[in-house]
Amino acid sequence: MKVTVVILAGGLGTRMKSNTPKLLHNLLGKTIIERTIDSVLSINPSKTIVVVNKESKNLIDLLSKYNLSFAFQEKPLGTADALMSAKEQIKDDDLLLLLNGDTPLIKPQTIEDFINNFHSQGCNLSLLSFIASDPSEYGRIIRDETNKVTAIVENKDCNEKEKQIREVNSGIYLMDQKAFSLANKIKINTKKGEYYITDLISLCVKEGLKVSTLLAKGSNELSGINTRNELANATTILRQRVIKNFIDSGVTFIDTSSVVIEPEVKMGIDIIIYPNVIIEGKSVIGSSTKIYPHTRIMDSVIEEGVTIKDCSVIEMSHIKAGASIGPFAHLRPQSIIGENSKIGNFVEIKKSNLGKSVKASHLSYIGDADVGEGTNIGAGTITCNYDGKSKHKTIIEKNVFVGSDTQFVAPVRIGENSYIGAGSTITKDVPPNSLAISRTNQKNILEWAKKKKDKNY
Ligand code: UD1
Ligand code: CA
């Protein structure tokens, strides 16, 4: 049977104490709402409706890349009111999967199990429950003496006995049209001035509909995020989940507690990751690569057998097989480092394409440059790529030897197999196979130091 999904994202999220709407907070590289949507879309719903409020422009813009419909809730009058604002858009013949936007850790497999369980139970309404170590933020599942669920009671409305119950509501429900048709009978909760979707359970029970629950195995994936503390906990859970998956698929971590790897990262096998490494975005790490401590890699492709030494920052770049980077290197966006090249201490590269076996081992800035295969860039080389208005290119062809402390005033082209004398400022193109040198001849003034001393300068 087809499923229409409704995701509630119209709440105010005041418990976050933030100027940013709750669902737009970041959870390991994507917003909370995107992570929830990613999980739900994996079941291929026939339609996905997100309930938003009037202030949700940023959220709608962010979600425009998905194939979603939006429903507008006029006022934040509670979860039942939020669902009712999507009523017109819900497909008549579909099952309805309803969930909170703030439950981003749910796994696609759990949603599938929940749907299968609904069908095998042959019920009208089902809810996914879990055992919470601290149930205080959740609605409690109330059961009768035969263990049948009869109601959900919100924390604020619980008596002392109900407060002890640790089986709680995840905020994820499946219902048929019969159960859904009772939602408009939900009355306002006078304590909070809101319409609670949780009241649908007792309404359905009273009307003689079949209500069931599925108790999820772990509690981790169903925790909701209402506070910064819960966001921090969810980040830890997701972080550990990602690392565990990589351990299972052949990656070694020296210290799992300090490494952050975002879920969209892909990795090969036999990779070794040292403490305090951060890998973000859609980065891809090739097999047998070593990443030493305190390195951050963003949206980059690192091929096989690369060594990244301590304290390097790599942004939107591509490092080819066998290269060595760092320590203390900075690869800025659009840098391509050729096979077996070596980028050493305190070298910054920006928007440059380096061929195979290029060496820039110390203290250099290479920006807007093409560097050919086998070229050696001496210590302290700088491409002067910016004239105050525009950027210009430096082209250094293959097998060039650039002496230390050279400046290339771009635009400039250095022909293959050339040599640049150390300390040169290169302002003109250099033909292939040449030596370019542009420094004044050295003058030695004999006995100068002695005279200085005698005259007591
Ligand atoms: C809700 C459940 C609770 C459950 C918990 C699971 C109710 C009354 N309570 O509580 O039983 O244990 O989730 O995490 O449903 N929203 C709207 N419009 C509104 C109010 C909320 O769209 O007027 C959205 C929010 O953006 C949020 C979701 O609904 O994504 C849940 O609202 P929230 O206030 O977080 O409910 P909880 O107090 O967590
Ligand atoms: Ca919540």
Side-chain angles (χ1 to χ4, degrees), residues 7-13 15 22-23 51-53 73 75-83 99-103 130 137-140 152-155 168-173 192 194-199 222-226:
I7 300 174
L8 302 185
L12 298 178
R15 287 170 277 181
K22 175 174 85 175
L23 298 177
V51 178
V52 296
N53 63 41
Q73 187 185 17
K75 285 185 196 153
L77 288 176
T79 44
D81 181 71
L83 173 61
L99 74 161
N100 295 343
D102 65 0
T103 312
F130 66 102
E137 291 285 343
Y138 299 99
R140 311 297 203 284
I152 298 174
V153 180
E154 290 303 294
N155 189 54
V168 299
N169 170 28
S170 68
I172 300 168
Y173 322 83
K192 217 172 163 216
E194 287 188 0
Y195 297 87
Y196 286 174
I197 193 60
T198 46
D199 288 347
L222 296 177
S223 346
I225 299 177
N226 304 301

Side-chain angles (χ1 to χ4, degrees), residues 42-194:
S42 67
I43 64 155
N44 273 326
S46 63
K47 189 169 185 184
T48 305
I49 306 161
V50 182
V51 178
V52 296
N53 63 41
K54 283 179 175 164
E55 255 107 75
S56 302
K57 185 175 178 315
N58 290 346
L59 188 131
I60 293 169
D61 288 350
L62 175 81
L63 299 184
S64 61
K65 60 186 174 222
Y66 294 99
N67 181 17
L68 303 169
S69 312
F70 293 95
F72 290 86
Q73 187 185 17
E74 284 289 315
K75 285 185 196 153
L77 288 176
T79 44
D81 181 71
L83 173 61
M84 291 318 283
S85 53
K87 189 174 188 299
E88 306 303 317
Q89 299 189 48
I90 295 169
K91 290 196 173 179
D92 282 346
D93 307 326
D94 277 13
L95 263 187
L96 174 61
L97 173 69
L98 173 65
L99 74 161
N100 295 343
D102 65 0
T103 312
L105 300 180
I106 182 149
K107 294 179 182 165
Q109 187 59 51
T110 305
I111 303 177
E112 268 172 42
D113 293 348
F114 184 44
I115 295 173
N116 292 338
N117 183 267
F118 181 93
H119 290 306
S120 64
Q121 299 272 326
C123 52
N124 302 99
L125 170 69
S126 183
L127 70 94
L128 194 55
S129 69
F130 66 102
I131 305 294
S133 47
D134 173 11
S136 59
E137 291 285 343
Y138 299 99
R140 311 297 203 284
I141 308 293
I142 311 293
R143 294 177 182 276
D144 66 11
E145 43 306 329
T146 67
N147 210 31
K148 271 201 193 118
V149 59
T150 54
I152 298 174
V153 180
E154 290 303 294
N155 189 54
K156 278 202 176 99
D157 303 317
C158 280
N159 59 35
E160 282 312 310
K161 203 171 152 221
E162 288 163 342
K163 278 199 173 142
Q164 306 304 317
I165 298 172
R166 283 179 55 214
E167 188 191 2
V168 299
N169 170 28
S170 68
I172 300 168
Y173 322 83
L174 260 171
M175 62 188 92
D176 63 11
Q177 296 292 330
K178 226 172 174 180
F180 177 50
S181 68
L182 297 180
N184 63 7
K185 292 195 175 162
I186 292 172
K187 298 213 171 66
I188 198 159
N189 176 299
T190 45
K191 253 192 206 159
K192 217 172 163 216
E194 287 188 0

Side-chain angles (χ1 to χ4, degrees), residues 307-322:
T307 303
I308 299 175
K309 296 184 187 161
D310 317 42
C311 303
S312 296
V313 177
I314 297 163
E315 307 167 89
M316 296 161 84
S317 290
H318 184 151
I319 301 171
K320 297 197 179 163

Side-chain angles (χ1 to χ4, degrees), residues 230-241:
E230 286 166 333
L231 176 59
N233 290 340
T235 304
T236 303
I237 292 166
L238 187 55
R239 194 179 65 73
Q240 288 170 341
R241 190 191 285 176

